[in-house]
Protein backbone atom coordinates (compact mmCIF):
# COMPACT_ATOMS: atom_id res chain seq x y z
CA UNK A 1 0.00 0.00 0.00
CA UNK A 2 1.02 3.60 -0.52
CA UNK A 3 2.05 5.90 2.27
CA UNK A 4 3.09 9.53 2.35
CA UNK A 5 5.32 11.07 4.97
CA UNK A 6 5.95 14.67 5.90
CA UNK A 7 8.40 16.17 8.34
CA UNK A 8 8.72 17.89 10.55
CA UNK A 9 5.23 17.77 12.02
CA UNK A 10 5.57 21.19 13.61
CA UNK A 11 8.06 23.98 13.16
CA UNK A 12 8.55 27.39 14.73
CA UNK A 13 10.92 29.66 12.82
CA UNK A 14 11.87 33.33 13.12
CA UNK A 15 11.20 35.78 10.31
CA UNK A 16 14.05 35.80 7.81
CA UNK A 17 15.21 32.25 8.54
CA UNK A 18 15.34 29.54 5.87
CA UNK A 19 12.83 26.72 5.49
CA UNK A 20 12.96 23.15 4.27
CA UNK A 21 9.97 20.82 4.45
CA UNK A 22 10.23 17.32 3.11
CA UNK A 23 7.68 14.93 1.71
CA UNK A 24 8.24 11.35 0.59
CA UNK A 25 5.90 8.79 -0.92
CA UNK A 26 6.25 5.03 -0.66
CA UNK A 27 4.61 2.24 -2.58
CA UNK A 28 4.09 3.95 -5.93
CA UNK A 29 6.15 5.11 -8.88
CA UNK A 30 6.02 8.29 -10.96
CA UNK A 31 3.42 10.03 -8.81
CA UNK A 32 2.23 13.57 -9.34
CA UNK A 33 3.26 15.51 -6.24
CA UNK A 34 1.70 18.64 -4.76
CA UNK A 35 2.30 21.23 -2.06
CA UNK A 36 -0.69 23.04 -0.58
CA UNK A 37 -0.93 25.67 2.13
CA UNK A 38 -3.89 25.95 4.43
CA UNK A 39 -4.13 29.21 6.35
CA UNK A 40 -6.28 29.37 9.48
CA UNK A 41 -9.98 29.37 8.61
CA UNK A 42 -9.35 29.23 4.88
CA UNK A 43 -9.33 26.62 2.18
CA UNK A 44 -6.39 24.96 0.51
CA UNK A 45 -4.12 26.95 -1.76
CA UNK A 46 -2.13 25.01 -4.33
CA UNK A 47 1.49 26.16 -4.24
CA UNK A 48 3.39 23.77 -6.50
CA UNK A 49 2.89 20.59 -8.41
CA UNK A 50 5.29 18.23 -10.12
CA UNK A 51 4.76 15.59 -12.77
CA UNK A 52 8.33 14.26 -12.68
CA UNK A 53 11.87 14.71 -11.40
CA UNK A 54 13.00 18.28 -11.86
CA UNK A 55 9.61 19.35 -13.26
CA UNK A 56 7.98 21.93 -11.03
CA UNK A 57 5.04 24.19 -11.76
CA UNK A 58 4.31 27.16 -9.52
CA UNK A 59 0.75 28.28 -9.00
CA UNK A 60 1.24 31.31 -6.77
CA UNK A 61 4.10 33.86 -6.85
CA UNK A 62 5.76 33.92 -3.46
CA UNK A 63 9.05 33.54 -1.69
CA UNK A 64 8.73 29.77 -1.61
CA UNK A 65 10.26 27.26 -3.99
CA UNK A 66 9.95 23.53 -4.54
CA UNK A 67 12.26 20.83 -5.79
CA UNK A 68 11.92 17.19 -6.70
CA UNK A 69 15.36 15.60 -6.53
CA UNK A 70 14.03 12.04 -6.62
CA UNK A 71 10.92 10.41 -8.03
CA UNK A 72 9.15 10.16 -4.68
CA UNK A 73 10.64 13.12 -2.84
CA UNK A 74 9.28 16.64 -2.86
CA UNK A 75 10.84 19.50 -0.94
CA UNK A 76 9.42 22.93 -0.11
CA UNK A 77 11.95 25.65 0.65
CA UNK A 78 12.38 29.29 1.41
CA UNK A 79 15.49 31.39 1.78
CA UNK A 80 13.84 33.95 4.07
CA UNK A 81 10.54 33.32 5.80
CA UNK A 82 7.86 35.96 6.15
CA UNK A 83 5.19 36.17 8.84
CA UNK A 84 2.61 35.47 6.14
CA UNK A 85 4.22 32.08 5.47
CA UNK A 86 2.69 30.71 8.65
CA UNK A 87 0.17 27.97 8.02
CA UNK A 88 -0.44 24.27 7.64
CA UNK A 89 1.50 22.79 4.74
CA UNK A 90 0.18 19.67 3.10
CA UNK A 91 1.89 17.42 0.62
CA UNK A 92 -0.19 15.18 -1.63
CA UNK A 93 0.30 12.66 -4.39
CA UNK A 94 -1.82 11.28 -7.19
CA UNK A 95 -1.42 8.70 -9.92
CA UNK A 96 -0.35 9.97 -13.29
CA UNK A 97 -3.47 8.87 -15.12
CA UNK A 98 -6.95 8.54 -13.63
CA UNK A 99 -9.65 10.51 -11.86
CA UNK A 100 -6.99 12.67 -10.19
CA UNK A 101 -7.91 11.81 -6.63
CA UNK A 102 -5.15 12.97 -4.34
CA UNK A 103 -3.82 11.44 -1.16
CA UNK A 104 -2.54 13.74 1.54
CA UNK A 105 0.22 13.56 4.09
CA UNK A 106 -0.27 14.46 7.76
CA UNK A 107 0.90 18.04 7.26
CA UNK A 108 3.44 20.39 8.81
CA UNK A 109 2.31 23.21 11.09
CA UNK A 110 4.64 26.17 10.46
CA UNK A 111 4.61 29.19 12.74
CA UNK A 112 6.79 32.13 11.77
CA UNK A 113 7.50 34.43 14.69
CA UNK B 1 -11.68 27.81 -14.97
CA UNK B 2 -13.30 25.07 -12.96
CA UNK B 3 -14.40 25.84 -9.41
CA UNK B 4 -16.52 24.62 -6.54
CA UNK B 5 -18.57 26.56 -4.02
CA UNK B 6 -19.67 25.01 -0.78
CA UNK B 7 -21.91 26.24 1.97
CA UNK B 8 -20.27 28.16 4.75
CA UNK B 9 -20.32 26.76 8.22
CA UNK B 10 -20.15 25.99 10.91
CA UNK B 11 -22.84 23.36 10.84
CA UNK B 12 -23.89 22.27 14.31
CA UNK B 13 -25.99 19.13 14.74
CA UNK B 14 -27.09 16.73 17.43
CA UNK B 15 -26.08 13.10 17.20
CA UNK B 16 -28.30 11.05 14.84
CA UNK B 17 -29.45 14.15 12.94
CA UNK B 18 -29.52 14.28 9.13
CA UNK B 19 -26.63 16.06 7.46
CA UNK B 20 -26.51 17.96 4.20
CA UNK B 21 -23.53 20.04 3.09
CA UNK B 22 -24.14 21.79 -0.21
CA UNK B 23 -21.58 21.96 -2.98
CA UNK B 24 -22.04 23.35 -6.48
CA UNK B 25 -19.52 23.31 -9.27
CA UNK B 26 -18.64 25.32 -12.36
CA UNK B 27 -16.70 23.42 -14.95
CA UNK B 28 -15.89 22.84 -18.57
CA UNK B 29 -17.10 19.36 -19.31
CA UNK B 30 -17.77 16.92 -16.49
CA UNK B 31 -14.70 16.56 -14.32
CA UNK B 32 -14.54 14.21 -11.37
CA UNK B 33 -15.91 15.49 -8.06
CA UNK B 34 -14.68 14.66 -4.58
CA UNK B 35 -15.41 15.10 -0.92
CA UNK B 36 -12.51 15.17 1.49
CA UNK B 37 -12.60 15.23 5.29
CA UNK B 38 -10.05 16.77 7.64
CA UNK B 39 -9.99 15.85 11.32
CA UNK B 40 -8.35 18.32 13.73
CA UNK B 41 -4.61 18.57 13.25
CA UNK B 42 -4.51 16.05 10.41
CA UNK B 43 -4.21 15.99 6.66
CA UNK B 44 -7.14 15.50 4.31
CA UNK B 45 -8.66 12.10 3.67
CA UNK B 46 -10.61 11.18 0.58
CA UNK B 47 -14.17 10.49 1.72
CA UNK B 48 -15.87 9.71 -1.60
CA UNK B 49 -15.76 10.52 -5.28
CA UNK B 50 -17.83 10.49 -8.47
CA UNK B 51 -16.23 10.40 -11.88
CA UNK B 52 -19.20 11.08 -14.15
CA UNK B 53 -22.69 12.53 -14.18
CA UNK B 54 -25.30 10.59 -12.18
CA UNK B 55 -22.61 8.66 -10.32
CA UNK B 56 -23.18 8.26 -6.60
CA UNK B 57 -20.17 8.13 -4.34
CA UNK B 58 -20.56 6.60 -0.92
CA UNK B 59 -18.40 5.74 2.07
CA UNK B 60 -18.88 5.39 5.84
CA UNK B 61 -22.57 6.25 5.55
CA UNK B 62 -21.92 9.42 3.54
CA UNK B 63 -23.31 9.82 0.04
CA UNK B 64 -23.12 12.37 -2.76
CA UNK B 65 -24.60 12.27 -6.25
CA UNK B 66 -23.06 14.00 -9.26
CA UNK B 67 -26.01 15.98 -10.61
CA UNK B 68 -25.42 17.55 -14.01
CA UNK B 69 -28.80 19.34 -14.13
CA UNK B 70 -28.19 21.30 -10.95
CA UNK B 71 -24.35 21.27 -11.14
CA UNK B 72 -24.31 19.98 -7.60
CA UNK B 73 -22.57 17.36 -5.47
CA UNK B 74 -24.18 17.68 -2.06
CA UNK B 75 -22.87 15.57 0.79
CA UNK B 76 -25.46 13.73 2.90
CA UNK B 77 -25.54 11.38 5.85
CA UNK B 78 -28.66 9.99 7.43
CA UNK B 79 -27.45 9.87 11.03
CA UNK B 80 -24.34 11.73 12.12
CA UNK B 81 -22.12 10.72 15.01
CA UNK B 82 -19.89 12.77 17.28
CA UNK B 83 -16.91 11.21 15.50
CA UNK B 84 -18.05 12.87 12.24
CA UNK B 85 -17.05 16.26 13.62
CA UNK B 86 -14.49 17.59 11.14
CA UNK B 87 -14.01 19.97 8.23
CA UNK B 88 -15.41 18.78 4.90
CA UNK B 89 -14.06 19.94 1.55
CA UNK B 90 -15.67 19.65 -1.84
CA UNK B 91 -13.21 19.46 -4.75
CA UNK B 92 -12.94 19.08 -8.50
CA UNK B 93 -10.19 18.91 -11.08
CA UNK B 94 -8.77 22.09 -12.56
CA UNK B 95 -9.30 22.79 -16.22
CA UNK B 96 -5.77 21.76 -17.12
CA UNK B 97 -6.30 18.44 -15.40
CA UNK B 98 -3.18 18.90 -13.31
CA UNK B 99 -4.50 19.41 -9.77
CA UNK B 100 -7.56 19.60 -7.57
CA UNK B 101 -9.44 22.76 -6.71
CA UNK B 102 -10.96 22.82 -3.24
CA UNK B 103 -13.83 24.68 -1.72
CA UNK B 104 -13.22 26.68 1.44
CA UNK B 105 -14.40 23.88 3.69
CA UNK B 106 -17.40 23.44 5.97
CA UNK B 107 -16.90 22.77 9.66
CA UNK B 108 -19.27 20.20 11.12
CA UNK B 109 -19.72 19.93 14.87
CA UNK B 110 -21.83 17.08 16.26
CA UNK B 111 -22.82 17.01 19.92
CA UNK B 112 -24.14 14.11 21.95
Amino acid sequence: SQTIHQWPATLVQPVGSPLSLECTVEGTSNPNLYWYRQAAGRGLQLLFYSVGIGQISSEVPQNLSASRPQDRQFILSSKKLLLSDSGFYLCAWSVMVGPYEQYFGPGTRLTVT
Amino acid sequence: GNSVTQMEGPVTLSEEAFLTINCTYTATGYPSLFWYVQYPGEGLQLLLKATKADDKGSNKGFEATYRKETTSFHLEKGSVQVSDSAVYFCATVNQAGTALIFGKGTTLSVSS
Side-chain angles (χ1 to χ4, degrees):
Chain A
S1 63
Q2 302 87 4
T3 55
I4 178 169
H5 304 279
Q6 284 187 247
W7 65 90
T10 60
L11 191 59
V12 179
Q13 293 282 93
V15 168
S17 63
L19 173 73
S20 180
L21 303 181
E22 190 165 341
C23 170
T24 59
V25 181
E26 296 177 356
T28 187
S29 297
N30 302 316
N32 287 342
L33 295 172
Y34 308 84
W35 279 112
Y36 289 88
R37 176 169 58 203
Q38 185 178 26
R42 301 172 69 175
L44 277 75
Q45 179 185 38
L46 177 65
L47 301 176
F48 301 94
Y49 71 91
S50 171
V51 299
I53 296 174
Q55 300 179 63
I56 310 294
S57 296
S58 174
E59 292 293 305
V60 181
Q62 62 226 324
N63 69 321
L64 300 172
S65 62
S67 62
R68 184 170 178 173
Q70 301 179 43
D71 180 45
R72 289 169 288 178
Q73 184 185 29
F74 205 24
I75 297 171
L76 182 69
S77 303
S78 174
K79 293 182 179 178
K80 289 186 177 181
L81 283 169
L82 307 172
L83 283 175
S84 58
D85 291 324
S86 294
F88 193 47
Y89 288 82
L90 291 159
C91 181
W93 72 272
S94 69
V95 297
M96 294 297 289
V97 177
Y100 309 106
E101 59 200 73
Q102 295 180 1
Y103 301 94
F104 285 80
T108 294
R109 174 74 60 191
L110 171 66
T111 303
V112 182
T113 60
Chain B
N2 297 350
S3 66
V4 292
T5 302
Q6 60 182 107
M7 62 185 287
E8 295 187 16
V11 174
T12 303
L13 295 173
S14 298
E15 204 164 26
E16 299 183 2
F18 185 85
L19 168 71
T20 299
I21 299 178
N22 291 338
C23 172
T24 56
Y25 68 88
T26 302
T28 301
Y30 301 104
S32 297
L33 298 171
F34 308 88
W35 277 102
Y36 280 81
V37 59
Q38 183 179 33
Y39 298 101
E42 299 182 8
L44 277 69
Q45 301 175 25
L46 178 64
L47 181 58
L48 53 85
K49 67 181 181 183
T51 58
K52 59 183 186 296
D54 299 325
D55 260 4
K56 176 185 281 188
S58 62
N59 185 26
K60 299 180 181 180
F62 291 89
E63 293 183 342
T65 301
Y66 192 144
R67 299 201 184 279
K68 182 174 57 176
E69 301 78 12
T70 54
T71 64
S72 64
F73 192 57
H74 304 324
L75 182 68
E76 296 181 336
K77 186 175 185 183
S79 177
V80 294
Q81 305 300 312
V82 173
S83 56
D84 294 326
S85 298
V87 181
Y88 292 82
F89 293 91
C90 184
T92 189
V93 185
N94 67 3
Q95 197 162 350
T98 53
L100 293 185
I101 298 173
F102 290 84
K104 293 185 177 181
T106 302
T107 299
L108 170 65
S109 179
V110 180
S111 58
S112 58

